[in-house]
Amino acid sequence: GRLVSRYLAARTAGQLKIGVAGRSAARLQSLFAEVEQTAGVRWSPEVLEAPSDDDAALRSLASSTKVVLSTAGPYELCGTPLLRACIAEGTDYVDINGEVPWMRAVAAQYDEAAAAAGVHAVLSCGFSAPSDLGALFAVRALQRKHDARLGVDGHSGAGCVAGSVSKSGGDDDGDGDRDNGGGGGAEQPRASERHTLASAVSTISTELAHTQIDAAP
C-alpha cells in the first residue's frame, strides 16, 4: 500500500478524491505523514477504517467510492469479503494479487453476480512477484545443488506453498531416457532435499523482504 500511496500522492494530489482504508486509523495517519515527507507534497486523503473481517465496514467502504484498489493480502483470507462487498454495492474492484487458485475460485463463484451488478472486477492488475520469483529461484538452487530435473507437485494457498519436490535422475540404464526410479513415477525427494527447498524459499523471502522496490515513473 505504501508504494501505491506514494504514487498517488506524487501524481494526483488535489486532482482526485481518494480515500485510504485499513484496520487502524492511527496507522493510516502515520502513513500519510511518511508519504508527504517522501513525495514532498501535501496529501490528506479521507481515512476509512475497515477491518477485513467486518462485513458492515466493508460494505460501507465500497458504497462510498466508485473503485476500490486492494493491496491487502493474502487474498485467500482477506480478498473475498471485500470483493463480495464491492459486488453488493455496485463498486468496481481492482487488486494486485498473485494467488492463482484464489482467482480461479472467486471467478467461478462471483463472475455471474459481478456481471449482473455491472461491476468490473480486475484481478491481478499488478500481481505480486515474490511468489513467482521464489519458486523460480528455489528450483534453480536445487538444480545447481543436485544437477537434476525438478518438478513441484502441490498447491498454493494464503501466500504459501505446500507440497513436495520430485527429482528425476540421469539416464542410468543407457537407453537414452531419463529414469524416474521405476514405474514411470518421479522419485520422491529425500528429507535433506525437502529441507533444501524450504531453506531456499526462506532465504529468498528474507532477501525480498529487505529489497526496496520503487514505483515506476
Side-chain angles (χ1 to χ4, degrees), residues 22-116:
R23 293 184 296 271
S24 167
R27 292 182 65 182
L28 290 175
Q29 292 291 355
S30 177
L31 170 65
F32 299 163
E34 176 188 322
V35 168
E36 285 185 348
Q37 183 176 11
T38 303
V41 297
R42 177 71 176 167
W43 197 56
S44 301
E46 183 178 354
V47 176
L48 303 167
E49 198 164 358
S52 60
D53 58 353
D54 187 333
D55 289 339
L58 295 177
R59 288 282 297 265
S60 177
L61 164 66
S63 67
S64 68
T65 187
K66 296 180 179 179
V67 181
V68 168
L69 169 59
S70 174
T71 63
Y75 289 85
E76 187 174 26
L77 300 179
C78 306
T80 304
L82 179 56
L83 175 59
R84 188 167 55 236
C86 287
I87 294 173
E89 297 297 331
T91 301
D92 292 337
Y93 170 92
V94 181
D95 71 33
I96 59 169
N97 94 86
E99 300 170 31
V100 176
W102 177 77
M103 286 190 284
R104 181 182 300 167
V106 295
Q109 185 172 358
Y110 294 107
D111 180 66
E112 291 185 5

Side-chain angles (χ1 to χ4, degrees), residues 169-183:
D171 177 21
D172 295 331
D173 57 10
D175 61 2
D177 297 322
R178 299 184 68 88
D179 293 331
N180 292 327

Side-chain angles (χ1 to χ4, degrees), residues 130-190:
S131 58
D132 297 309
L133 291 175
L136 174 64
F137 294 159
V139 168
R140 286 182 175 175
L142 286 167
Q143 287 175 331
R144 289 194 300 269
K145 182 176 180 63
H146 299 287
D147 189 26
R149 183 181 57 179
L150 302 170
V152 177
D153 179 20
H155 67 278
S156 64
C160 303
V161 176
S164 62
V165 179
S166 298
K167 170 184 172 184
S168 298
D171 177 21
D172 295 331
D173 57 10
D175 61 2
D177 297 322
R178 299 184 68 88
D179 293 331
N180 292 327
E187 176 189 348
Q188 289 303 307
R190 297 185 297 273

